[in-house]
Amino acid sequence: MNDEKKEKAMDTLTRPTLLHAVLEKRQWLRFEVFQLQLKDAGARAAAHYLKPRLATVDTTKTTFKRWLVGEQAPRGDTATVLEFWLGHSVQELLGPAPMRKVVLARVPHDASLAAVHRVDVRFDSSHLSVNGPLPGAGGVWHLDGLRILDGTSVAVQMYEAEPRGDTVVIGPEDREHLRYFTRARRRALLIAALGARGEDDLYVMDAAHARRQLLMPVDRLPIPGAYRLDELVYALLWAALNVDDSLLADDQALYVEQQRLEAHLAQPRSAAARAAYPDLTEVGAAWLGSYACATYLRRHLGPAEAATLLWSRVQYGGQAAGWLLFAERHQVLQLMQECSAGAEGTAGCVFGIPESAVKNSEPYERLLLLLAMGLMESYGLTVHIHKERAHSDTAEFIIAPQRHAIVADWLSPDAVWHIDSTTTRSEINSLAHAVDHARSHSITSAGTPHERMRQAADYLGCDWDWLVRRCRELSTYGIGGLLHLRSHLIQTGGIERALSFLGESAAST
């Protein structure tokens, strides 16, 4: 063994164990104090795991000292209680403490940990662990992408908080760790819990926003009550984090492919197979297709005598996320609004969402659909929903009846984009017939936008009154502290506009 390895080995031997460091930090090193804390932890673990024998766990002073120096490992029920209590495995606790300064967060209350477990039960794409392998480093929240999105993970740290007016507040006892956890510029989330106060709710804030707050001379960090982790907040986090991280992963590849698009867009018609872009994530491919279709539409869609109509193939929340976050999608809606100004009829959008798609979607996915519909209605587009499966796979197109039809499909599972344009009367009539049939059988037949949104919510199985209230709350506070996007290819403006539009429904219905 060379000198460097010997020095490293000696350093490891002389450094205290993580158990020693944790107990010293919390002033539990005296055996009598440790014994009381262990007994209390055993009672809580017994209730949590429904194993009464855990409440009887105890140890001797000699064994305790051996644990502190790593000479003897706790086993069986004792190990279970220690891991439950301190949030680290026995192997980690008996290993050497990190050389860097360890800033430890307070141990979450058992009720708060139980609330975290319920998150995974409530949301099928959630895998949330607030205890990480390194002390003070927080945990991780994995969000599966389900059908369309790619899946991602984000660092999390949970703190106990207390309610104060329309906020919950993380107190001064956590200030040191808050600064420690948020100092890195990585993506991370803070979770505030009220378990110690007997409440089940959790609240979420982006660490970047918290970092800016902590630059001021404050000893408390307020989190808006509007950021309560329910179906709507989870829907926004799930969609935005998945889309943002996938686009960041594809950033260089998308820049290169974007430069190559002109040759395709100059043609009267074009299509690109998904297999031609094997290195792009699903979200990256959708963004590239969306960009190509939006560019093509801007070049080929102009003012029309009849209002334009969009046939959308969106059925699930992951697809709706593109409409809410991709800047090009908002440009398409604005273009339709401008082209339809002064034209005969009302501009609109047709969604084909069969009952099977509703049944197979989670509530938070269906909320994203409602937000996307609200966004379209905010641009003056009348939303129509038909339930028939026959046309559910029809390519996305925009039609100005009697004059022009443009296929601009960016959601095909087999193609990144499919663009085409026609003025042939027979083809236009065929598309117009499909649109007319869908509109005549629409479940959103009310005369006002917000009444149509209520009908859509009923069909999608969403609580309309609750949604209006929550949209109003989030719109009032803004979502800047909840969603901190990093990719320049997306924006939160569509979400904010949809929240504001739906939040105004109470005064409009």
Side-chain angles (χ1 to χ4, degrees):
M1 183 182 295
N2 58 36
D3 293 340
E4 183 179 351
K5 290 184 177 180
K6 288 181 179 179
E7 183 177 348
K8 184 176 180 180
M10 288 298 296
D11 178 69
T12 299
L13 291 172
T14 57
R15 279 159 50 196
T17 60
L18 177 59
L19 176 63
H20 189 286
V22 169
L23 297 181
E24 182 179 41
K25 177 72 175 180
R26 292 165 184 162
Q27 299 181 349
W28 295 340
L29 271 179
R30 284 182 54 203
F31 175 67
E32 293 77 12
V33 175
F34 173 83
Q35 203 171 31
L36 290 173
Q37 294 293 338
L38 179 65
K39 183 177 181 180
D40 180 66
R44 290 183 282 118
H48 180 81
Y49 292 117
L50 301 179
K51 294 183 177 180
R53 68 174 184 273
L54 295 179
T56 64
V57 163
D58 199 359
T59 190
T60 66
K61 190 171 186 177
T62 300
T63 301
F64 173 59
K65 289 182 177 180
R66 290 173 178 167
W67 290 349
L68 287 179
V69 296
E71 290 181 352
Q72 182 176 329
R75 299 178 183 277
D77 290 344
T78 305
T80 300
V81 171
L82 283 174
E83 291 177 344
F84 169 83
W85 172 28
L86 300 176
H88 299 278
S89 69
V90 166
Q91 184 179 2
E92 292 164 354
L93 289 170
L94 269 62
M99 294 181 64
R100 59 182 171 81
K101 179 184 177 182
V102 178
V103 181
L104 297 171
R106 289 187 297 161
V107 177
H109 193 277
D110 292 349
S112 298
L113 291 173
V116 167
H117 296 323
R118 284 192 290 273
V119 170
D120 291 347
V121 174
R122 189 176 183 182
F123 306 115
D124 65 336
S125 55
S126 170
H127 305 275
L128 175 58
S129 173
V130 295
N131 291 322
L134 296 175
V140 65
W141 196 357
H142 181 72
L143 303 170
D144 285 344
L146 299 182
R147 305 164 192 80
I148 311 299
L149 307 181
D150 300 283
T152 191
S153 297
V154 59
V156 294
Q157 177 63 57
M158 187 164 73
Y159 299 95
E160 294 294 330
E162 60 181 26
R164 180 168 297 180
D166 58 356
T167 67
V168 296
V169 178
I170 300 175
E173 58 272 24
D174 290 308
R175 180 176 56 183
E176 182 184 12
H177 192 272
L178 274 169
R179 296 183 185 279
Y180 175 81
F181 181 74
T182 60
R183 77 196 190 288
R185 266 49 179 178
R186 62 179 176 173
R187 186 196 301 282
L189 297 174
L190 307 182
I191 298 179
L194 302 177
R197 294 183 169 271
E199 299 182 29
D200 294 337
D201 289 330
L202 301 175
Y203 300 80
V204 183
M205 174 177 280
D206 190 276
H209 183 74
R211 183 167 56 247
R212 290 191 294 271
Q213 297 284 90
L214 293 168
L215 290 176
M216 298 182 287
V218 296
D219 59 0
R220 290 175 171 82
L221 178 68
I223 298 179
Y227 292 176
R228 181 172 63 257
L229 183 58
D230 56 12
E231 276 81 4
L232 182 56
V233 165
Y234 183 81
L236 297 178
L237 290 170
W238 177 75
L241 295 180
N242 264 293
V243 170
D244 200 16
D245 284 351
S246 291
L247 291 180
L248 287 174
D250 286 343
D251 187 68
Q252 179 63 23
L254 286 175
Y255 175 78
V256 171
E257 297 302 339
Q258 190 177 354
Q259 309 312 306
R260 298 173 178 172
L261 277 179
E262 186 57 38
H264 299 281
L265 298 176
Q267 301 174 21
R269 62 184 57 87
S270 175
R274 179 66 178 93
Y277 297 90
D279 294 332
L280 289 182
T281 63
E282 294 301 320
V283 172
W287 181 89
L288 186 63
S290 173
Y291 178 85
C293 290
T295 304
Y296 188 82
L297 283 169
R298 286 195 296 268
R299 295 180 182 181
H300 292 81
L301 187 63
E305 296 179 359
T308 56
L309 296 164
L310 167 69
W311 182 284
S312 172
R313 66 188 300 162
V314 169
Q315 295 183 4
Y316 297 101
Q319 297 166 320
W323 279 102
L324 293 168
L325 290 163
F326 294 172
E328 292 73 23
R329 292 295 94 199
H330 309 163
Q331 295 170 10
V332 169
L333 299 179
Q334 187 172 5
L335 179 62
M336 290 182 63
Q337 185 183 49
E338 293 171 354
C339 292
S340 302
E344 180 182 350
T346 304
C349 177
V350 176
F351 287 85
I353 307 177
E355 292 179 342
S356 59
V358 177
K359 182 180 179 180
N360 293 330
S361 295
E362 293 298 314
Y364 58 89
E365 292 184 88
R366 302 197 292 272
L367 288 175
L368 291 171
L369 283 172
L370 279 173
L371 288 177
M373 293 174 186
L375 176 64
M376 293 175 178
E377 287 276 4
S378 77
Y379 278 97
L381 306 183
T382 298
V383 168
H384 307 278
I385 303 175
H386 71 91
K387 302 188 292 184
E388 298 177 18
R389 296 181 59 88
H391 300 292
S392 59
D393 292 328
T394 300
E396 193 159 289
F397 64 85
I398 290 180
I399 183 173
Q402 308 305 320
R403 193 183 73 85
H404 203 190
I406 301 173
V407 173
D409 191 13
W410 56 285
L411 286 175
S412 169
D414 303 316
V416 177
W417 72 78
H418 172 204
I419 48 181
D420 196 0
S421 178
T422 181
T423 56
T424 303
R425 180 62 59 87
S426 62
E427 293 182 10
I428 293 175
N429 286 344
S430 176
L431 295 176
H433 175 74
V435 170
D436 290 341
H437 178 78
R439 290 196 299 175
S440 65
H441 292 78
S442 174
I443 64 171
T444 53
S445 57
T448 68
H450 293 105
E451 288 173 341
R452 287 192 292 272
M453 287 296 91
R454 179 188 286 273
Q455 290 175 330
D458 289 342
Y459 176 62
L460 295 174
C462 301
D463 185 332
W464 173 249
D465 293 332
W466 169 85
L467 176 61
V468 169
R469 183 176 68 255
R470 289 294 286 127
C471 286
R472 187 167 59 247
E473 291 172 355
L474 285 169
S475 179
T476 298
Y477 270 97
I479 58 174
L482 181 68
L483 302 177
H484 179 71
L485 301 181
R486 285 163 165 76
S487 172
H488 67 284
L489 301 177
I490 54 177
Q491 60 186 29
T492 58
I495 294 175
E496 291 166 343
R497 180 167 179 149
L499 290 172
S500 177
F501 178 81
L502 294 177
E504 294 169 357
S505 297
S508 305
T509 57

